[in-house]
């Protein structure tokens, strides 16, 4: 079948309903293109100069966006480096604080035992001196 017949058969087959009328729009006759010969050369050169200006403007905008993107990327990389540095420092501080905690518990335990030893020796010495004093007094007055 020829092209118009194929187009008509597609429309009549009910497929048009599935596509929401797209085929009906496609089947409508189209407007003929404008005759390019009617434009004067001056209008064409003005259009070309406007197009060149638009292209220059768009290139400038693209360059600006590219520069901003690169600047933001560099900032992001430098921030990433700073964040990694902070993470390393934080990890080191956490390790050092854990060591300090263990050391402080050890020192606390050691000082506690020194304190207990001091009190044991002090009480023992006091009891021994008191006992000796009582013995001396007992033997002296006997």
């Amino acid at each position: 079948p020829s092209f118009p017949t194929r187009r008509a058969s597609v429309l009549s087959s009910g497929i048009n309903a599935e596509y929401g009328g797209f085929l009906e729009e496609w089947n409508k006759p189209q407007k003929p293109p404008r005759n390019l010969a009617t434009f004067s050369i001056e209008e064409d050169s003005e259009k070309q100069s406007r197009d060149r200006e638009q292209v220059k403007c768009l290139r400038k905008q693209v360059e600006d966006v590219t520069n901003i993107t690169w600047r933001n990327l560099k900032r992001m990389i430098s921030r990433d480096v700073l964040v990694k540095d902070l993470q390393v420092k934080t990890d080191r501080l956490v390790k050092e604080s854990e060591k300090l905690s263990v050391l402080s518990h050890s020192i606390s335990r050691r000082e506690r035992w020194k304190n207990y030893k001091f009190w044991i020796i002090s009480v023992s010495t006091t009891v021994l001196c008191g006992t000796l004093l009582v013995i001396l007094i007992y033997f002296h007055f006997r």
Side-chain angles (χ1 to χ4, degrees), residues 57-71:
C57 182
L58 290 174
R59 283 186 180 160
K60 175 81 169 109
Q61 288 176 358
V62 167
E63 185 179 328
D64 290 344
V65 169
T66 304
N67 289 336
I68 290 171
T69 304
W70 277 112
R71 192 175 340 131

Side-chain angles (χ1 to χ4, degrees), residues 3-53:
F3 183 70
T5 311
R6 194 179 312 153
R7 191 185 292 182
S9 66
V10 168
L11 286 174
S12 63
S13 67
I15 295 176
N16 187 36
E18 291 180 29
Y19 292 104
F22 167 74
L23 295 175
E24 285 179 10
E25 291 293 322
W26 181 61
N27 198 24
K28 285 183 182 177
Q30 297 180 356
K31 294 180 183 176
R34 296 177 72 183
N35 188 359
L36 297 178
T38 59
F39 290 113
S40 68
I41 294 176
E42 291 136 8
E43 291 174 349
D44 192 32
S45 66
E46 287 177 15
K47 185 176 185 277
Q48 285 179 353
S49 68
R50 267 185 283 145
D51 288 346
R52 282 189 202 115
E53 291 299 318

